[in-house]
């Protein structure tokens, strides 16, 4: 069983949540603030005084897709995709302000500031040189169009070193800023990022780490090649070590005291894809597409170990209890969100888990969570600001959903087995009985003496659980095609989410003989459903939120549809609000007091951070 880590986040809500990073760049001192390029969400600022508990404190929404940021004193220089270069005053990090901008000719992907000039990598347009001596009126003074796709740039002396994709490393003489000229070129595959130290250029590439001798910029030559299992992306050189964001291999630490003979000395693997990195003191800040910001202690480079994970990945399921929403985040465990003010929700705390977190239920002071590596995890949530893991149970196979009623947890695993687990005594959690569903079980809803299973290609399976030690199948409804993925049960009806084949309403008055009443085909693929009163609220995959009138189950009709930006896979309705787990788009809150006109009032978007610069 993998470890479960507790993380108290105390995040100030700004309309988005930090998810993942691709690149990390900082100055080599303990930073107070980190400035993050957040794609469509613009510039995000958080306080990292306590490296174990970063706190978001400010933001600035740009008009482009913010790919990279460099910070010099009181200003952030940001590469904003099609929107060019922006300059933002960060004197007061909680209130950043626009200063100046220039629309560059290409797609701004990286930026490096040296004295009064910003050098902007422009994808298929090489790079441009921008005079920033007047911050309110930056002007282009020169540039050089490379033959590849520039994604990284470093400046040393009179030379610009450009990581130019499959065109390799391009070295340009910039002694005359208005007329840069090519000095040297080194062909290599997939050059992503470059950093230059002394007479060597260290290039993160398709093959790993390429070290190039640039003592003669007109004639760069191979110093060494260190092949790696994954692609090399951003690199930081500190002393005798190169710290590399190595895609699927996470953090790789290389001894480069002899650049002609580099040697891997340390590695910390993560679950996702690491693209960015920075090193500050004894800590590596690793930017990982799945896990977000991963902080690794490298006080001993040969034995790096995890300090903390800060990130959000994919909202799978959501349940609401009182003033709190509990989100099962696929990549990041359990998140507790304060929704006392639905217009201003914020993440209060969480429990990070390795593996994929798929479902959550709340009973009293406990959250019951299923995770495909940590199995059934029980968390004390009596203090919302400080969640505590109190028990766990190793379920055979990988659990993917659960329901909790009374002293029992009903857990479905990937072997299509319903497990009934006694949770009455948390010091002695134990399996009571189990039953193979006969299909491909995906979800479970318990009502009375029956467990209703969304059973994949087997449709709906009904199991008598009156004797927990001996659960038995008593009924089934299935169709030749389709796949039951989720279920809600109200009164005499089971509402079965049938993925691409819509919603199935099934009469279960006689559990041994369930019969189809109605099929309603939605525009998307039904992933989750919650029935409240006369309405069925559906998480409809790529189609977002769908609301149906089910006052007459035999004559179901569409009331409204709100197409979200993500992939809606979970839904919960409480009072006048619908809470939608929208995949990488995070948690959405809708006012559904008028079901025919759902109103999106909050979008806690799970975003990807593309670049980070600290000071």
């Amino acid at each position: 069983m993998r470890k479960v880590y507790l993380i108290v986040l105390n995040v100030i809500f700004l309309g988005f949540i930090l998810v993942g990073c691709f690149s990390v760049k900082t100055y080599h001192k303990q930073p107070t603030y980190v400035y993050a390029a957040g794609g469509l969400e613009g510039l995000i600022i958080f306080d990292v005084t306590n490296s174990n508990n970063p706190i978001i404190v400010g933001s600035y929404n740009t008009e482009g897709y913010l790919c990279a940021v460099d910070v010099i004193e009181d200003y952030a220089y940001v590469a904003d995709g099609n929107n060019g270069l922006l300059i933002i005053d960060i004197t007061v990090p909680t209130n950043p302000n626009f200063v100046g901008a220039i629309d560059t000719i290409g797609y701004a992907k990286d930026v490096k500031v040296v004295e009064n000039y910003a050098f902007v990598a422009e994808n298929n347009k090489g790079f441009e040189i921008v005079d920033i001596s007047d911050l309110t009126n930056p002007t282009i003074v020169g540039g050089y169009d490379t033959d590849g796709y520039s994604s990284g740039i470093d400046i040393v002396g009179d030379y610009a070193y450009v990581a130019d994709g499959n065109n390799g490393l391009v070295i340009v003489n910039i002694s005359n800023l208005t007329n840069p000229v090519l000095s040297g070129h080194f062909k290599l595959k997939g050059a992503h990022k470059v950093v230059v130290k002394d007479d060597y250029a260290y290039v993160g590439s398709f093959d790993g780490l390429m070290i190039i001798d640039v003592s003669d910029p007109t004639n760069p030559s191979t110093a060494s090649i260190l092949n790696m299992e994954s692609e090399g992306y951003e690199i930081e050189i500190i002393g005798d070590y190169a710290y590399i964001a190595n895609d699927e291999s996470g953090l790789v630490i290389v001894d480069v005291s002899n650049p002609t003979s580099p040697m891997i000395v340390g590695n910390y693997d993560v679950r996702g894809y690491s693209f960015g990195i920075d090193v500050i003191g004894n800590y590596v800040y690793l930017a990982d597409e799945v896990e977000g910001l991963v902080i690794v202690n490298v006080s001993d480079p040969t034995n790096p170990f995890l300090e903390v994970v800060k990130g959000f990945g994919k909202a799978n399921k959501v349940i609401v209890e009182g003033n709190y929403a509990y989100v099962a985040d696929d990549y990041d465990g359990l998140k507790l969100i304060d929704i006392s003010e639905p217009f201003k929700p914020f993440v209060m705390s969480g429990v990070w888990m390795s593996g994929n977190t798929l479902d959550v239920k709340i009973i009293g002071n406990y959250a019951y969570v299923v995770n495909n590596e940590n199995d059934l995890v029980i968390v004390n949530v009596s203090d919302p600001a400080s969640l505590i893991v109190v028990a766990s149970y190793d379920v055979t196979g990988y659990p993917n959903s659960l329901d909790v009623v009374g002293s029992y947890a009903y857990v479905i695993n990937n072997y299509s087995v319903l497990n009934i687990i006694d949770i009455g005594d948390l010091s002695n959690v134990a399996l009571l009985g189990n039953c193979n569903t006969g299909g491909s079980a995906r979800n479970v809803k318990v009502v009375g003496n029956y467990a209703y299973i969304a059973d994949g290609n087997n449709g709906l399976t009904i199991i008598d659980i009156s004797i927990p030690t001996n659960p038995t199948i008593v009924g089934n409804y299935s169709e030749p095609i389709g796949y039951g993925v989720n279920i809600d049960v109200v009164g005499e009806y089971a509402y079965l989410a049938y993925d691409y084949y819509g919603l199935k309403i099934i009469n279960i008055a006689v559990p041994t003989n369930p019969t189809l009443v109605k099929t309603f085909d939605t525009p998307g693929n039904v992933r989750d459903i919650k029935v409240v009163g006369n309405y069925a609220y559906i998480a409809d995959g790529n189609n977002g939120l769908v609301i149906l009138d089910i006052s007459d189950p035999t004559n179901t009709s569409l009331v409204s549809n709100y197409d979200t930006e993500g992939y809606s896979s979970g839904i919960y309705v409480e009072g006048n609000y619908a809470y939608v787990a929208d995949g990488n788009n995070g948690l959405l809150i809708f006012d559904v007091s008028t079901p025919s006109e759902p109103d999106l009032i909050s979008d806690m978007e799970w975003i990807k951070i593309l670049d980070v610069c600290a000071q």
Side-chain angles (χ1 to χ4, degrees):
M1 183 176 295
R2 299 277 296 273
K3 292 182 179 179
V4 180
Y5 296 90
L6 175 66
I7 305 170
V8 180
L9 300 176
N10 297 324
V11 177
I12 297 174
F13 176 70
L14 296 168
F16 51 80
I17 299 178
L18 176 67
V19 165
C21 308
F22 286 90
S23 177
V24 181
K25 295 180 291 185
T26 86
Y27 301 104
H28 304 299
K29 61 181 180 179
Q30 182 61 40
T32 301
Y33 297 101
V34 167
Y35 303 85
L40 292 173
E41 297 300 318
L43 179 68
I44 304 162
I45 304 173
F46 54 97
D47 187 328
V48 293
T49 305
N50 179 356
S51 61
N52 289 317
N53 185 29
I55 302 171
I56 299 172
V57 294
S59 68
Y60 185 88
N61 215 2
T62 64
E63 295 181 2
Y65 190 83
L66 210 161
C67 297
V69 57
D70 198 7
V71 174
I72 303 295
E73 297 179 344
D74 293 331
Y75 299 96
Y77 302 83
V78 301
D80 200 33
N82 286 325
N83 198 38
L85 174 70
L86 273 66
I87 303 170
I88 300 170
D89 186 336
I90 52 171
T91 306
V92 181
T94 57
N95 186 33
N97 290 297
F98 173 82
V99 176
I102 186 164
D103 189 4
T104 54
I105 61 172
Y107 189 91
K109 293 195 70 173
D110 196 14
V111 58
K112 178 74 172 180
V113 175
V114 178
E115 297 181 346
N116 288 326
Y117 298 93
F119 298 81
V120 184
E122 293 275 278
N123 200 27
N124 63 341
K125 295 295 182 180
F127 70 93
E128 288 185 287
I129 305 170
V130 181
D131 185 334
I132 53 173
S133 54
D134 179 358
L135 296 175
T136 64
N137 186 34
T139 56
I140 296 173
V141 296
Y144 186 87
D145 191 359
T146 62
D147 293 331
Y149 290 84
S150 59
S151 57
I153 190 168
D154 198 11
I155 307 296
V156 177
D158 288 336
Y159 297 96
Y161 298 82
V162 182
D164 205 34
N166 287 331
N167 191 43
L169 176 67
V170 176
I171 305 174
V172 179
N173 188 313
I174 54 172
S175 56
N176 181 351
L177 294 171
T178 63
N179 186 33
V181 294
L182 180 67
S183 288
H185 177 219
F186 188 93
K187 187 70 175 178
L188 63 103
K189 185 189 297 185
H192 300 302
K193 295 289 182 181
V194 58
V195 61
V196 177
K197 182 182 179 183
D198 299 328
D199 288 332
Y200 297 97
Y202 299 81
V203 181
S205 72
F206 182 83
D207 293 319
L209 174 64
M210 174 73 75
I211 303 178
I212 302 169
D213 186 332
V214 292
S215 54
D216 178 1
T218 65
N219 186 32
S221 60
T222 302
S224 59
I225 302 173
L226 184 61
N227 291 316
M228 299 179 178
E229 292 182 3
S230 303
E231 295 185 49
Y233 281 84
E234 194 162 32
I235 302 168
E236 275 289 317
I237 307 295
I238 304 294
D240 289 335
Y241 297 100
Y243 299 83
I244 303 172
N246 195 218
D247 198 6
E248 295 180 9
S249 298
L251 167 66
V252 174
I253 304 174
V254 180
D255 184 334
V256 292
S257 55
N258 180 358
T260 63
S261 184
M263 180 174 60
I264 295 175
V265 295
N267 171 239
Y268 184 84
D269 199 2
V270 295
R271 291 180 301 162
Y273 307 93
S274 298
F275 298 108
I277 198 167
D278 194 17
V279 183
I280 306 172
N282 289 329
Y283 298 99
V284 162
Y285 295 78
L286 190 65
D288 185 77
E289 183 182 27
V290 173
E291 292 190 329
L293 181 61
V294 180
I295 302 178
V296 181
N297 189 309
V298 291
S299 52
D300 177 1
T302 65
N303 186 33
F305 61 89
L306 181 70
E307 285 283 339
V308 71
V309 175
K310 165 84 172 189
F312 300 81
K314 179 183 174 186
N316 269 336
K317 291 291 186 292
V318 58
I319 190 167
V320 174
E321 186 73 25
N323 289 326
Y324 303 102
Y326 301 81
V327 177
D329 186 285
D330 198 4
Y331 307 135
D332 210 50
L334 173 67
K335 297 301 164 209
L336 187 152
I337 299 172
D338 187 321
I339 54 169
S340 54
E341 296 183 64
F343 288 88
K344 295 192 298 180
F346 65 92
V347 177
M348 176 172 284
S349 59
V351 176
W352 182 83
M353 302 176 190
S354 59
N356 303 104
T357 302
L358 303 173
D359 202 0
V360 57
K361 294 293 185 293
I362 306 295
I363 300 294
N365 289 327
Y366 297 97
Y368 300 84
V369 183
V370 289
N371 176 282
N372 68 359
E373 286 192 11
N374 296 287
D375 301 313
L376 173 63
V377 180
I378 304 172
V379 182
N380 188 319
V381 296
S382 57
D383 180 0
S386 181
L387 308 188
I388 301 172
V389 176
V390 294
S392 63
Y393 183 81
D394 190 359
V395 180
T396 301
Y398 298 135
N400 51 40
S401 70
L402 85 163
D403 200 3
V404 179
V405 178
S407 298
Y408 302 110
Y410 301 84
V411 180
I412 293 290
N413 70 10
N414 65 324
Y415 297 141
S416 299
V417 173
L418 171 66
N419 298 276
I420 304 179
I421 301 170
D422 187 341
I423 54 173
D425 179 1
L426 294 180
S427 66
N428 186 31
V429 178
L431 178 68
L432 293 177
N434 55 40
C435 177
N436 193 300
T437 66
S440 303
R442 287 296 177 267
N443 215 286
V444 55
K445 176 74 173 180
V446 173
V447 178
N449 288 327
Y450 299 98
Y452 299 85
I453 313 294
D455 204 20
N457 55 2
N458 200 37
L460 168 66
T461 296
I462 304 174
I463 299 176
D464 185 332
I465 54 171
S466 56
I467 303 175
T469 58
N470 187 33
T472 56
I473 295 174
V474 296
N476 174 258
Y477 174 84
S478 62
E479 297 187 356
I481 57 175
Y483 204 84
V485 296
N486 223 312
I487 192 167
D488 198 8
V489 176
V490 177
E492 296 183 348
Y493 298 98
Y495 298 83
L496 184 64
Y498 227 57
D499 205 15
Y500 289 102
Y501 293 88
L503 171 67
K504 305 289 181 181
I505 303 178
I506 301 169
N507 189 311
I508 53 169
V510 180
T512 58
N513 186 34
T515 57
L516 181 67
V517 172
K518 179 71 175 180
T519 296
F520 190 93
D521 204 3
T522 65
N525 52 316
V526 182
R527 301 299 299 176
D528 196 9
I529 183 167
K530 181 69 175 177
V531 174
V532 178
N534 290 326
Y535 299 98
Y537 299 82
I538 294 172
D540 201 32
N542 288 323
N543 189 50
L545 169 66
V546 170
I547 303 177
L548 304 180
D549 184 334
I550 55 166
S551 54
D552 178 2
T554 65
N555 189 29
T556 303
S557 60
L558 178 67
V559 175
S560 60
N561 176 206
Y562 191 104
D563 191 0
T564 63
E565 295 182 6
Y567 186 86
S568 299
S569 60
I571 191 164
Y572 196 85
V573 179
E574 183 78 14
N576 290 327
Y577 300 101
Y579 302 83
V580 178
D582 203 36
N584 292 329
N585 193 40
L587 176 66
L588 309 182
I589 304 178
F590 290 88
D591 184 335
V592 291
S593 53
T594 304
S596 60
E597 298 178 355
D599 181 19
L600 179 63
I601 61 172
S602 177
D603 179 354
M604 299 186 71
E605 186 172 2
W606 271 223
I607 64 172
K608 294 179 180 178
I609 305 302
L610 305 175
D611 190 34
V612 175
C613 188
Q615 83 170 175

